[in-house]
Structure formats: C-alpha cells, structure tokens
Amino acid sequence: MLKSLRTIPASGAVSRRAFSTGRVAKEGLRIGYVPEHFSTPLHFAQKYFSLNATLTPFPAGTGHMISSLKASEIDVGIGLTEGWVAGLAKAMQAQETAPYKLVGTYVESPLLWAISTGKDREFHDIGDLKGKKVGVSRIGSGS
C-alpha cells in the first residue's frame, strides 16, 4: 500500500487522485529521479520492500523531469529542491501555471557540497583557489 506524502502546509491542498487511480494500482507509480546518491533509497525500496513503481532516471536533471510531469509521463518527481523551486519561479515569471507542486520533503538534513582536488595539488584551503580556474559539474544545476 502506498502511503501519502507528508504535505507542506504552505503549499495548500494536495490532490491525492494520482495515488488512487486504477492505473497506479495495476502498473505502479511512475517515479522520476536524478541518478545521484540520494536516489539509493528508491532502489532499496524496490529491491527489498516490493515498491510497486517504475523508476525512471533523468540524468539531464530536474528540468527534464518537470517537462515529463507536464506531459504526464511520470506521476512523481524526486530531486533537489533548488531545481523544483527554480521551475516554479520560471512558470511564475512566464505567467504560466506550473505542471507540479511541492508536496513533501524526502530528506530533512541540509545538502553539503565539497570542493575536491587531487592529493598532490597545491591547494590546501579555499583561499588557494583565488584567481585559479575551476570546474563545476553543470552550470545552472544544483550540483
């Protein structure tokens, strides 16, 4: 049995129709996710706890997941909050209705990022990076 997500009171009423349709009961929930470490519990739930769901990876990120929600290709999307909030802001700016709403949290601890370098490099603290070239995983993403 699928338990409903904990709602965030500020988001208003949350429709639960997607969780009670015959399609979901027969075929399982269609869950989109960004394939990163925070997705591991989804795979564990499917493997060890019989989660009745189709897990669809979105390596291109949350923007692609938002498009898939709009096209009804997935029922639920799980990802970093920044991407979802950015999508809501873009819809507001374009005076459109967003194809989704935030209904709950997946983890409550803050996400901490690392600055990594090779062990034999001249960088020992963040100040050593001043004036140097650095790389990021993907411009505009939360990562």
Side-chain angles (χ1 to χ4, degrees), residues 95-123:
Q95 296 181 337
E96 297 174 351
T97 301
Y100 63 93
K101 58 179 101 177
L102 303 179
V103 296
T105 56
Y106 183 56
V107 293
E108 294 185 7
S109 60
L111 185 62
L112 302 176
W113 296 104
I115 297 173
S116 306
T117 182
K119 68 178 184 129
D120 296 324
R121 300 293 308 262
E122 67 276 11
F123 307 115

Side-chain angles (χ1 to χ4, degrees), residues 75-102:
D75 301 307
V76 175
I78 298 176
L80 297 177
T81 305
E82 293 92 335
W84 297 106
V85 171
L88 291 172
K90 286 178 186 175
M92 275 177 89
Q93 197 171 38
Q95 296 181 337
E96 297 174 351
T97 301
Y100 63 93
K101 58 179 101 177
L102 303 179

Side-chain angles (χ1 to χ4, degrees), residues 17-98:
R17 280 179 271 135
F19 298 103
S20 61
T21 64
R23 189 209 59 75
V24 171
K26 285 187 238 169
E27 300 172 22
L29 196 61
R30 300 172 299 169
I31 302 173
Y33 69 96
V34 178
E36 293 194 24
H37 63 283
F38 59 80
S39 304
T40 302
L42 289 171
H43 297 283
F44 274 41
Q46 194 170 47
K47 184 173 182 177
Y48 298 111
F49 299 99
S50 304
L51 173 65
N52 182 21
T54 300
L55 303 180
T56 303
F58 285 83
T62 304
H64 185 195
M65 230 183 315
I66 291 169
S67 297
S68 290
L69 279 168
K70 190 173 190 173
S72 297
E73 296 167 347
I74 58 174
D75 301 307
V76 175
I78 298 176
L80 297 177
T81 305
E82 293 92 335
W84 297 106
V85 171
L88 291 172
K90 286 178 186 175
M92 275 177 89
Q93 197 171 38
Q95 296 181 337
E96 297 174 351
T97 301

Side-chain angles (χ1 to χ4, degrees), residues 118-133:
K119 68 178 184 129
D120 296 324
R121 300 293 308 262
E122 67 276 11
F123 307 115
H124 302 287
D125 64 46
I126 199 158
D128 295 338
L129 296 174
K130 187 171 183 162
K132 303 287 195 260
K133 289 185 181 180

